[in-house]
């Protein structure tokens, strides 16, 4: 695997690959790679000739009191995992490459829909940081396909919208959520859980599944279902952030006659915020 640290060097290598007719698949990450990320690389390999993974812990998408400084940076282990899955290229820029004029004066990409509610309500500015860095990465890598996981469902929906609105010439490929045996969605932040929290953390998935099953059976009292799921999460020792039955496309509260529904949830442990979702279609 070749590692590139500068925009200039990776652009010149990818220009050469494209001249040879190679299709580029891109997996953006913040590192601390787990099996979920590896599945994204494997999915990319099915449809692209050259796979680029990026690792950049993007300060712009973390709030002032969030975990940017303690976010696990595991470069050596990440490289070994990428090599084991035969990833071709790693783009590993530093802050100076990505934000040469500083974070404060960085030109921003703002998606005006879907960013203010659900995770956006608890993490103001988060999605602006995501859309800004992903725009930059798309301009640097210019991939044919970008592979994103469905675990960050709101991020996925917003990036679909950004790509459409700003005419980025890239196809987004969606990858299913990779789960632990108790249903907990794989996430770099799972490592923040205490032993007891880890033991009970499958509850988020369990409660989302409970809501989804009820809806499948015809229950359309979404508010009551959300309320009960929140109670279950509370009882398991976590602080619920939200459980929301949403329209899968707009992410607005689902109408009772909506056919395309996704149930999204987020909860806090003592030092971790976990998210998950289930789509009904
Ligand atoms: O999902 C992530 O890991 C990040 O939000 C992303 C897409 C790599 C942007 O920093």
């Amino acid at each position: 695997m070749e590692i590139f640290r500068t925009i200039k060097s990776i652009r010149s290598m990818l220009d050469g690959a494209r001249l040879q007719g190679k299709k580029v698949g891109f997996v953006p990450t913040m590192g601390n790679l787990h099996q979920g990320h590896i599945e994204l690389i494997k999915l990319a390999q099915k449809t692209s000739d050259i796979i680029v993974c990026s690792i950049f812990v993007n300060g712009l998408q973390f709030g002032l009191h969030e975990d940017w400084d303690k976010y696990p940076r595991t470069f050596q282990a990440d490289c070994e995992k990428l090599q084991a899955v035969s990833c071709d290229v790693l783009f590993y820029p530093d802050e100076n490459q990505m934000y040469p004029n500083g974070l404060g004066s960085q030109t921003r990409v703002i998606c005006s829909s879907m960013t203010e509610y659900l995770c956006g309500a608890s993490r103001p500015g988060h999605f602006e940081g995501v859309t800004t860095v992903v725009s930059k990465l798309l301009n640097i890598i210019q991939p044919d396909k970008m592979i994103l996981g469905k675990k960050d469902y709101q991020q996925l929906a917003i990036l679909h919208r950004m790509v459409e609105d700003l005419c980025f010439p890239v196809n987004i490929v969606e990858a299913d959520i990779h789960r632990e045996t108790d249903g907990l969605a794989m996430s770099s932040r799972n490592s923040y859980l205490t032993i007891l929290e880890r033991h009970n953390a499958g509850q988020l998935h369990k409660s989302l599944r409970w809501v989804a099953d009820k809806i499948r059976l015809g229950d359309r009292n979404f508010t009551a279902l959300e309320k009960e799921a929140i109670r279950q999460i509370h009882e398991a020792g976590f602080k619920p952030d939200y459980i929301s039955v949403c329209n899968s496309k707009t992410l607005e509260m689902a109408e009772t006659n909506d056919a395309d529904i996704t149930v999204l949830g987020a909860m806090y442990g003592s030092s971790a915020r976990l998210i998950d979702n289930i789509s009904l279609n």
Side-chain angles (χ1 to χ4, degrees), residues 184 187 189-190 193 201 204 238 265-268 272-276:
L184 175 66
S187 162
R189 289 191 169 95
N190 291 351
L193 295 168
L204 180 57
F238 296 92
M267 68 179 193
Y268 295 95
R273 182 174 181 280
L274 304 182
I275 58 173
D276 200 352

Side-chain angles (χ1 to χ4, degrees), residues 105-117:
S105 62
Q106 167 65 43
T107 302
R108 314 272 177 125
V109 174
I110 298 171
C111 192
S112 58
S113 63
M114 296 185 284
T115 50
E116 303 301 318
Y117 41 84

Side-chain angles (χ1 to χ4, degrees), residues 23-277:
K23 297 283 179 211
V24 178
F26 175 46
V27 180
T29 82
M30 297 203 299
N32 193 224
L33 304 180
H34 50 69
Q35 195 54 34
H37 294 114
I38 301 307
E39 297 301 322
L40 301 183
I41 305 275
K42 286 185 184 166
L43 191 56
Q45 286 167 334
K46 287 188 183 154
T47 53
S48 300
D49 307 307
I50 174 162
I51 311 305
V52 180
C53 174
S54 67
I55 294 180
F56 180 63
V57 187
N58 174 36
L60 210 58
Q61 70 188 74
F62 288 77
L64 215 53
H65 303 293
E66 291 187 350
D67 54 344
W68 180 83
D69 49 344
K70 74 164 187 169
Y71 197 86
R73 286 147 172 95
T74 50
F75 180 70
Q76 215 43 52
D78 290 347
C79 284
E80 281 161 25
K81 286 177 190 165
L82 290 173
Q83 254 147 3
V85 72
S86 303
C87 179
D88 304 294
V89 175
L90 172 61
F91 181 48
Y92 181 52
D94 64 14
E95 185 100 359
N96 206 34
Q97 279 293 307
M98 293 303 286
Y99 299 120
N101 300 311
L103 284 188
S105 62
Q106 167 65 43
T107 302
R108 314 272 177 125
V109 174
I110 298 171
C111 192
S112 58
S113 63
M114 296 185 284
T115 50
E116 303 301 318
Y117 41 84
L118 302 170
C119 289
S122 323
R123 305 188 67 190
H126 166 66
F127 288 116
E128 188 178 316
V130 172
T131 45
T132 300
V133 80
V134 173
S135 301
K136 292 184 70 125
L137 290 166
L138 286 174
N139 283 331
I140 295 164
I141 310 291
Q142 297 178 28
D144 298 280
K145 292 188 196 301
M146 172 166 65
I147 295 80
L148 296 170
K150 286 186 193 164
K151 193 202 63 148
D152 297 283
Y153 192 90
Q154 190 175 8
Q155 166 175 286
L156 181 63
I158 290 167
L159 290 175
H160 267 297
R161 184 62 193 268
M162 179 193 87
V163 160
E164 185 184 350
D165 284 354
L166 298 182
C167 309
F168 279 103
V170 66
N171 285 318
I172 293 179
V173 179
E174 300 184 359
D176 285 335
I177 300 175
H178 214 69
R179 299 185 181 281
E180 306 285 357
T181 46
D182 64 347
L184 175 66
M186 288 193 182
S187 162
S188 302
R189 289 191 169 95
N190 291 351
S191 63
Y192 298 163
L193 295 168
T194 63
I195 293 172
L196 180 65
E197 285 171 345
R198 174 62 198 89
H199 186 256
N200 296 330
Q203 185 62 49
L204 180 57
H205 177 57
K206 231 164 132 186
S207 292
L208 292 175
R209 226 178 41 209
W210 179 84
V211 174
D213 288 347
K214 286 280 185 192
I215 297 172
R216 280 194 192 102
L217 290 171
D219 193 334
R220 293 272 149 173
N221 189 345
F222 300 149
T223 312
L225 294 175
E226 291 166 0
K227 216 168 144 192
E228 169 56 19
I230 281 175
R231 193 199 61 72
Q232 294 171 3
I233 286 169
H234 223 279
E235 197 172 88
F238 296 92
K239 183 173 159 237
D241 183 357
Y242 64 82
I243 298 288
S244 291
V245 179
C246 295
N247 175 288
S248 302
K249 296 268 162 349
T250 62
L251 289 188
E252 278 166 15
M253 278 167 58
E255 304 284 341
T256 44
N257 60 349
D258 264 343
D260 197 359
I261 284 178
T262 297
V263 190
L264 297 96
M267 68 179 193
Y268 295 95
S270 52
S271 4
R273 182 174 181 280
L274 304 182
I275 58 173
D276 200 352
N277 66 84

